[in-house]
């Protein structure tokens, strides 16, 4: 028994493909309807969804030349020409660059129209243009509607926000309340080129060409929202080791997609050039300030020298005086240069100490005595720029920003140390030069007064002249550098206009909708089957029980099904012929799980069919609590079984003749207070034995076995007990319990009759099975005692 139970459980766990297909066929109309609804819905969605166009461009980015070294060479060889590609991608994604690129285009107003339920947007081909003179901030993104009335007039409409919109539902739920602008409405007739003034807005609508549609709309975009045009911008590296970036953008207007991308490229290159020019401008400003001061000193020294020569007799300097004067001139020129460098380093030191953000720090073309200082300042500037770029999208707690902050702090400390060392070295050099200057100045004291004065004036003039020439040279270099400044990036492929939309994939949307409809329909079908805990056909009965099925009774709906209905009872009668033969009459009990499964009707029809074979049949109605067999035979239930069992009437008095041939009936009689106790009396057993003497078949209509125990008591008197199961009514749990009951009480022959089956595939299958079970009856009971 345990092995059979395991085999049955294992069979129940397997997927029955035939049952799967039957479930699909059963709900085929709902599945078809689901597919149809989803297909129509997806087709409508695909139709009204606006076209999306794409444009792309490629740009090469590279860093400035910094001189060759082994580490930079390896970096350039393996990471794309020494460029921090991730940093450049973040620059392209920054809001600053997006706003700047959008400012190159006319994106402040968007124009729309509808045609055949589709929304179309104008970009450069709008038939009208709206000039904004004044607009309240609340009216940005709010739609204005234009209805052309004639060639010169139109109606301007501003609609209040609908309470059924998404924001309206939020307002109703109290999540986000409506603002004053949401209740605002406006509707007036105006002329083209007429200034429209209200307290909320001041606009002018200019007609460009003929307005052919019934309605147009437009709304204004705030400058702070221009970066949203680049929300669908994507940047990627063309290959792992290349310094070439591919930029792609999607937009509802193909021309605007091209313009947005080209504007982005222009903005990137412009800000790169401006950043370089800023460095040159700072250098030029410093050199100009120094030139102005030296120029004043040069003119003063030159004037004094000329004045001295005019008022005094010019003499030739001695060789010693010339040499001494030349040395003093050289040392004082070097002292001036060192002083300039010292001034620059002090300014740099002061800037680093006072400023936390060092992204604007630059050294330009200045050559320091320590070459490493210039490289360190450049590295510090680049790290600060990278940190500022990342802060646009991330917080200061982001790992990359934390790492950059640590690097900047370390580099800042190193620069301070190097600056301090350089300033100390410059101070020492200045002290040495001043000592040499004092030494040569003393040597001039031995010269004659006139020659000494001429030497002094000549020396001052030469020093100022050399310093002035030095600064002019540096200014010329810086000016040339500024004028020749070009962007390090190079546009390889500009964005072009692709008028063929890339989205939506309408056929794919419809196909996905169709598939989704099928999935939803099938899921619903199997969910219904899973939640439906009633049996539907013979296959499910076989899955939960091994009790034989003696018949399948279809629904008797009309005249067309009546013959099939009657034939099912003939099949049951035929199957009864294959029961083990006994000398006595055959006692048949008929029960069900609950009321409403058609037990009484089945009892009456079986009795009529058997009676047609010249067999005497008596129907015994023992369902005292709900007597109904007498109604099937149209007989009064005045006296009956309860009267006999209590000794009030004789057996002959309680037997009633029916209009059916060879069929008699014993009704329940009046309802006794203790029907179960009456059945346990010996009179019940005596009654059945007496009926066996006069009748070939005794058919007992018992109460439902799932409600009271009367049926279990009466089954002990029966040769065969039929349990009635109704399709889509009887619960599966009852079938399992009935199978357990049949195994525990193996001395009773138990069979099933499936009632209420829809005529069709189910009935045809069930009918064949029922007939086969009739032949196979002995096999089921071969191991059980009779």
């Amino acid at each position: 028994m345990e092995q059979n139970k395991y085999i049955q459980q294992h069979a129940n766990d397997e997927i029955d493909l035939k049952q799967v297909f039957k479930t699909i066929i059963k709900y085929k109309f709902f599945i078809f309807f689901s597919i149809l609804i989803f297909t129509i819905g997806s087709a409508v969605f695909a139709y009204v969804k606006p076209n999306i166009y794409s444009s792309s461009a490629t740009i090469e980015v590279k860093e400035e030349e910094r001189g060759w070294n082994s580490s930079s060479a390896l970096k350039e060889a393996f990471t794309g020409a020494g460029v921090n590609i991730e940093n450049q991608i973040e620059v392209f994604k920054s809001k600053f660059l997006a706003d700047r690129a959008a400012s190159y285009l006319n994106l402040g107003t968007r124009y729309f129209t509808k045609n055949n339920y589709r929304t179309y947007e104008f970009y450069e081909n709008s038939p009208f243009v709206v000039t904004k003179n004044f607009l309240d901030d609340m009216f940005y993104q709010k739609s204005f509607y234009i209805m052309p009335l004639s060639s010169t007039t139109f109606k301007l409409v501003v609609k209040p926000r609908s309470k059924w919109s998404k924001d309206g539902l939020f307002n109703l739920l109290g999540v986000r309340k409506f603002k004053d602008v949401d209740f605002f409405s406006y509707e007036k007739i105006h002329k083209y080129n007429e200034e429209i003034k209200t307290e909320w807005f001041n606009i002018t609508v200019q007609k460009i060409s003929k307005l052919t549609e019934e309605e147009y709309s437009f709304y204004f975009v705030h400058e702070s929202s221009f970066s949203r045009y680049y929300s669908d911008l994507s940047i990627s590296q063309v290959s792992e080791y290349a310094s070439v970036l591919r930029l792609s953008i999607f937009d509802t207007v193909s021309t605007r997609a091209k313009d947005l991308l080209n504007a982005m490229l222009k903005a990137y290159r412009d800000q790169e050039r401006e950043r370089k020019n800023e460095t040159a401008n700072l250098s030029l400003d410093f050199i100009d300030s120094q030139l102005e001061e030296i120029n004043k000193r040069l003119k003063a020294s030159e004037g004094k020298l000329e004045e001295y020569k005019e008022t005094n007799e010019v003499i030739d300097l001695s060789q010693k005086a010339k040499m001494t004067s030349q040395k003093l001139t050289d040392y004082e020129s070097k002292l001036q240069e060192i002083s300039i460098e010292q001034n620059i380093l002090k300014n740099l030191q002061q800037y680093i100490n006072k400023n936390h953000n060092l992204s604007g720090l630059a050294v330009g073309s200045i050559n320091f005595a320590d070459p490493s200082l210039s490289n360190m300042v450049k590295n510090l500037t680049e790290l600060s720029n990278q940190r500022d770029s990342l802060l646009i999208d991330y917080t200061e707690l982001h790992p990359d920003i934390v790492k950059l902050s640590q690097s900047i702090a370390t580099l800042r400390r190193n620069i301070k140390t190097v600056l301090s060392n350089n300033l100390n070295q410059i101070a020492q050099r200045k002290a040495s030069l001043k000592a040499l200057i004092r030494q040569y100045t003393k040597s001039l004291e031995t010269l004659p007064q006139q020659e000494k004065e001429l030497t002094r004036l000549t020396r001052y003039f030469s020093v100022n002249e050399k310093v002035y020439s030095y600064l002019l040279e540096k200014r010329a270099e810086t000016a040339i550098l500024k004028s020749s400044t070009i962007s390090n990036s190079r546009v390889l492929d500009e964005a072009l206009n692709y008028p063929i939309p890339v989205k939506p994939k309408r056929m794919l949307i419809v196909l996905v909708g169709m598939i989704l409809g099928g999935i939803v329909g099938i899921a619903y079908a199997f969910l219904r089957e899973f939640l439906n805990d009633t049996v539907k056909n013979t296959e499910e009965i076989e899955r939960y029980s091994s009790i034989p099925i003696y018949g399948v009774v279809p629904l008797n709906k009309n005249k067309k099904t009546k013959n099939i209905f009657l034939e099912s009872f003939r099949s049951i009668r035929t199957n009864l012929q294959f029961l083990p033969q006994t000398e006595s009459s055959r006692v048949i009990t008929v029960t069900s799980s609950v009321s409403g499964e058609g037990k009484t009707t089945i009892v009456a029809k079986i009795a009529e069919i058997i009676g047609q074979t010249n067999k005497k049949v008596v129907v015994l109605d023992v369902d005292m609590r709900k007597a109904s067999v007498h109604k099937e035979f149209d007989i009064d239930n005045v006296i009956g079984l309860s009267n006999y069992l209590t000794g009030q009437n004789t057996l002959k008095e309680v037997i009633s003749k029916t209009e059916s041939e060879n069929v008699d009936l014993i009704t329940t009689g009046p309802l006794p207070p203790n029907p179960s106790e009456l059945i346990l009396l010996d009179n019940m057993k005596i009654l059945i034995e007496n009926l066996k003497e006069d009748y070939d078949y005794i058919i007992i209509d018992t109460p439902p076995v799932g409600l009271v125990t009367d049926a279990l008591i009466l089954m002990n008197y029966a040769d065969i007990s039929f349990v009635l199961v109704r399709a889509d009514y009887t619960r599966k749990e009852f079938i399992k319990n009935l199978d357990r009951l049949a195994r525990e009480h193996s001395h009773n022959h138990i069979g099933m009759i499936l009632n209420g089956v829809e005529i069709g595939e189910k009935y045809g299958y069930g009918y064949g099975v029922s007939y086969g079970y009739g032949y196979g009856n002995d096999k089921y009971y071969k191991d059980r005692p009779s």
Side-chain angles (χ1 to χ4, degrees):
M1 181 182 298
E2 291 297 328
Q3 184 178 3
N4 292 338
K5 184 177 181 181
Y6 171 77
I7 295 173
Q8 181 180 357
Q9 181 66 31
H10 182 69
N12 290 343
D13 292 339
E14 292 181 351
I15 298 176
D16 189 350
L17 291 179
K18 189 173 183 180
Q19 188 62 33
V20 169
F21 285 114
K22 282 195 171 185
T23 302
I24 293 175
I25 292 173
K26 178 180 179 182
Y27 293 94
K28 59 182 179 293
F29 292 110
F30 179 83
I31 295 174
F32 174 77
F33 182 74
S34 175
I35 293 174
L36 182 63
I37 292 299
F38 273 82
T39 302
I40 294 174
S42 61
V44 172
F45 173 77
Y47 176 79
V48 300
K49 190 173 178 62
N51 290 334
I52 304 296
Y53 302 89
S54 174
S55 186
S56 61
T58 55
I59 183 173
E60 179 188 16
V61 292
K62 55 185 178 181
E63 289 185 344
E64 298 180 21
E65 298 293 336
R66 295 186 181 176
W68 188 91
N69 60 66
S70 58
S71 60
S72 64
L74 290 174
K75 182 180 179 183
E76 292 179 9
F78 292 101
T79 59
V83 181
N84 189 337
I85 294 297
E86 290 78 10
N87 184 49
Q88 299 305 315
I89 291 176
E90 292 302 323
V91 171
F92 275 111
K93 290 181 178 179
S94 65
K95 184 178 184 299
F96 162 76
L97 197 63
D99 287 338
R100 177 165 184 169
S103 67
Y104 294 162
L105 305 173
N106 184 16
L107 303 175
T109 312
R110 301 184 67 173
Y111 306 91
F112 303 89
T113 188
K114 281 190 175 181
N115 189 0
N116 294 329
Y117 303 101
R118 277 187 180 178
T119 300
Y120 297 91
E121 182 175 1
F122 299 106
Y123 175 49
E124 295 177 339
N125 57 339
S126 174
F128 64 95
V129 174
V130 181
T131 303
K132 177 189 64 178
N133 303 318
F134 163 74
L135 185 71
D136 190 276
D137 289 342
M138 292 190 300
F139 275 77
Y140 284 100
Q141 306 293 332
K142 188 171 183 63
S143 295
F144 293 73
Y145 297 90
I146 286 181
M147 291 81 166
L149 300 178
S150 67
S151 60
T152 58
T153 59
F154 64 91
K155 181 189 292 184
L156 180 65
V157 177
V158 180
K159 302 176 182 177
R161 193 174 295 276
S162 172
K163 63 179 181 180
W164 304 113
S165 63
K166 180 181 68 175
D167 292 336
L169 295 177
F170 285 157
N171 176 69
L172 185 64
L173 296 173
V175 177
R176 186 169 62 239
K177 291 295 184 180
F178 273 164
K179 302 177 182 177
D180 292 340
V181 68
D182 295 320
F183 297 102
F184 179 82
S185 63
Y186 182 89
E187 183 174 348
K188 285 186 178 180
I189 297 175
H190 296 279
K191 294 181 179 181
Y192 295 108
N193 302 323
E194 173 190 5
E195 189 175 8
I196 304 171
K197 290 184 178 181
T198 69
E199 60 176 324
W200 301 97
F201 54 85
N202 184 353
I203 61 176
T204 303
V205 179
Q206 298 176 343
K207 182 178 179 182
I208 305 299
S209 60
K210 184 178 180 181
L211 281 68
T212 57
E213 302 297 334
E214 294 181 357
E215 181 180 285
Y216 296 85
S217 64
F218 65 91
Y219 67 83
F220 299 102
V221 182
H222 197 274
E223 292 180 359
S224 61
S225 303
F226 280 178
S227 58
R228 295 181 184 176
Y229 283 102
Y230 290 94
S231 58
D232 290 327
L233 176 69
S234 62
I235 305 104
S236 61
Q237 196 174 356
V238 294
S239 65
E240 184 178 359
Y241 304 116
S243 60
V244 177
L245 297 178
R246 175 174 288 109
L247 285 71
S248 301
I249 194 169
F250 296 96
D251 198 85
T252 54
V253 182
S254 61
T255 309
R256 186 170 60 201
K258 175 202 71 174
D259 291 346
L260 286 172
L261 212 51
N262 287 331
M264 173 64 73
L265 297 177
K266 184 177 184 301
Y268 176 78
R269 301 181 72 191
D270 287 349
Q271 64 89 25
E272 192 176 27
R273 282 194 295 267
E274 288 175 4
R275 181 171 57 87
K276 291 183 177 181
N277 287 335
E278 182 180 0
T279 301
N281 288 331
L282 291 174
S283 299
L284 284 173
D285 291 341
F286 175 78
I287 293 173
D288 287 340
S289 64
Q290 295 295 316
L291 276 173
E292 184 179 357
E293 182 181 351
I294 296 298
N295 186 39
K296 291 179 181 178
R297 290 162 54 185
L298 179 61
K299 288 181 178 180
S301 60
E302 182 182 9
K304 289 180 179 180
L305 180 60
E306 290 178 354
E307 183 182 356
Y308 184 79
K309 287 182 178 181
E310 290 176 357
T311 58
N312 297 278
E313 182 181 355
V314 178
I315 59 174
D316 292 332
L317 296 176
S318 64
Q319 185 66 28
K320 181 181 178 181
K322 287 183 178 180
M323 291 180 60
T324 304
S325 178
Q326 183 65 37
K327 288 290 185 181
L328 279 173
T329 301
D330 292 340
Y331 289 145
E332 288 180 347
S333 298
K334 289 181 180 179
L335 183 61
Q336 288 285 350
E337 293 177 7
I338 291 175
S339 297
I340 293 174
E341 184 174 353
Q342 186 183 37
N343 189 19
I344 293 174
L345 291 178
K346 286 183 178 179
N347 290 335
L348 182 61
Q349 187 180 47
Q350 185 180 9
Y351 185 87
I352 292 176
N353 290 332
K354 290 185 177 180
N355 292 277
H356 178 72
N357 185 4
L358 303 177
S359 59
L361 183 62
V363 294
S365 60
I366 299 171
N367 296 321
F368 295 110
D370 187 354
S372 63
L373 180 60
S374 178
N375 291 331
M376 293 171 68
V377 172
K378 289 182 180 178
N379 291 336
L380 181 62
T381 304
E382 289 181 357
L383 291 177
S384 299
N385 288 329
Q386 291 180 24
R387 184 177 183 275
D388 292 343
S389 298
L390 290 177
L391 282 174
I392 295 173
D393 299 314
Y394 306 105
T395 65
E396 293 186 354
L397 299 179
H398 192 272
D400 291 342
I401 296 179
V402 172
K403 184 177 179 182
L404 284 173
S405 299
Q406 294 173 351
S407 300
I408 290 172
T410 303
L411 196 55
R412 183 197 289 262
R413 289 194 297 269
N414 294 338
I415 291 175
K416 287 181 179 180
T417 303
V418 173
L419 280 172
S420 180
N421 294 335
N422 284 350
L423 287 172
N424 291 334
Q425 292 176 6
I426 289 174
Q428 294 175 1
R429 290 169 59 194
K430 285 184 70 176
S432 299
L433 286 172
K434 286 180 179 179
L436 289 172
I437 291 171
R438 284 195 300 270
Q439 180 181 350
Y440 281 99
T441 302
K442 285 183 180 180
S443 65
L444 291 177
E445 295 294 331
T446 60
L447 296 175
Q449 182 65 32
Q450 192 178 33
E451 185 178 0
K452 183 171 60 176
E453 183 65 18
L454 180 60
T455 302
R456 185 181 66 82
L457 293 174
T458 304
R459 187 179 76 248
Y460 287 162
F461 174 76
S462 299
V463 168
N464 291 328
E465 186 178 34
K466 283 188 176 183
V467 174
Y468 188 75
S469 299
Y470 170 77
L471 291 175
L472 282 177
E473 180 183 355
K474 289 300 179 183
R475 192 187 191 288
E477 290 178 1
T478 306
I480 293 172
L481 178 64
K482 177 182 177 181
S483 63
S484 60
T485 298
I486 60 172
S487 173
N488 284 330
S489 59
R490 179 164 60 104
V491 176
L492 302 180
D493 297 308
E494 288 190 349
L496 300 177
N497 182 20
Y498 295 99
I500 301 176
V502 295
K503 298 179 190 177
K505 306 290 185 183
R506 291 186 168 85
M507 291 301 298
L508 181 62
I509 292 175
V510 174
L511 180 61
V512 170
M514 187 182 301
I515 295 173
L516 185 61
I519 293 174
V520 170
I522 293 173
Y524 172 81
F526 282 101
L527 182 64
R528 284 288 302 271
E529 287 297 298
F530 176 77
L531 297 178
N532 186 3
D533 60 348
T534 60
V535 294
K536 292 171 283 298
N537 50 44
T538 56
E539 288 180 346
E540 289 194 354
I541 296 176
E542 294 168 6
R543 190 179 296 116
Y544 298 108
S545 173
S546 56
I547 298 175
I549 301 174
Y550 280 81
V552 178
V553 179
L555 290 174
N556 185 18
K557 297 180 177 180
N558 46 48
K559 293 181 179 179
K560 185 177 181 180
T561 59
K562 185 176 181 180
N563 292 333
I564 303 176
F565 177 76
L566 295 175
E567 186 62 29
S568 65
F569 288 99
R570 296 188 185 97
S571 174
I572 296 173
R573 182 184 65 189
T574 302
N575 289 335
L576 288 174
Q577 305 299 321
F578 296 97
L579 286 172
Q581 297 294 325
T582 59
E583 296 180 357
S584 60
S585 300
R586 295 182 179 178
V587 180
I588 303 171
T589 60
V590 180
T591 187
S592 62
S593 62
V594 292
S595 61
E597 294 178 320
K599 173 173 58 67
T600 301
T601 302
I602 297 298
V603 167
K605 291 300 179 183
I606 291 177
E608 291 178 1
I609 290 297
I610 294 176
Q612 292 175 3
T613 60
N614 292 323
K615 300 290 185 178
K616 295 189 65 179
V617 181
V618 61
V619 177
L620 189 59
D621 189 358
V622 190
D623 191 358
M624 297 182 181
R625 296 174 180 82
K626 192 177 181 181
S628 57
V629 178
H630 64 280
K631 297 178 182 178
E632 291 289 331
F633 293 98
D634 197 18
I635 292 177
D636 295 332
N637 184 21
V638 179
I639 59 173
L641 181 61
S642 60
N643 301 99
Y644 173 78
L645 294 178
T646 55
Q648 299 178 20
N649 295 91
T650 63
L651 177 60
K652 186 175 182 180
E653 291 174 345
V654 298
I655 295 177
S656 302
K657 294 289 183 179
T658 67
E659 295 181 357
S660 300
E661 185 180 1
N662 299 320
V663 178
D664 293 339
L665 171 65
I666 299 178
T667 62
T668 61
L671 176 63
N674 54 348
S676 296
E677 286 75 5
L678 285 179
I679 295 173
L680 290 173
L681 296 175
D682 291 338
N683 288 346
M684 187 67 192
K685 185 175 182 180
I686 295 172
L687 170 64
I688 293 176
E689 293 299 328
N690 292 335
L691 291 176
K692 286 182 179 179
E693 296 177 359
D694 298 325
Y695 295 95
D696 298 309
Y697 286 90
I698 301 172
I699 301 177
I700 304 175
D701 182 8
T702 70
V705 70
L707 300 179
V708 293
T709 60
D710 297 6
L712 296 176
I713 299 172
L714 295 171
M715 288 170 68
N716 293 322
Y717 303 126
D719 298 313
I720 178 71
S721 297
F722 286 147
V723 180
L724 189 64
V725 176
R726 187 177 183 87
D728 293 320
Y729 191 85
T730 305
R731 297 188 178 276
K732 297 174 183 177
E733 193 64 29
F734 172 75
I735 304 298
K736 296 178 183 178
N737 294 334
L738 183 64
D739 184 73
R740 178 178 51 81
L741 178 68
R743 294 182 184 279
E744 292 174 356
H745 303 277
S746 57
H747 58 284
N748 291 318
H749 292 177
I750 299 178
M752 286 190 190
I753 296 176
L754 180 60
N755 183 33
V757 177
E758 291 281 353
I759 292 179
E761 183 182 356
K762 298 178 190 175
Y763 171 71
Y765 180 76
Y767 182 82
V769 170
S770 68
Y771 192 75
Y773 269 121
Y775 280 105
N777 182 36
D778 292 335
K779 180 179 179 181
Y780 176 73
Y781 296 108
K782 68 178 181 179
D783 296 327
R784 299 186 181 186
S786 59

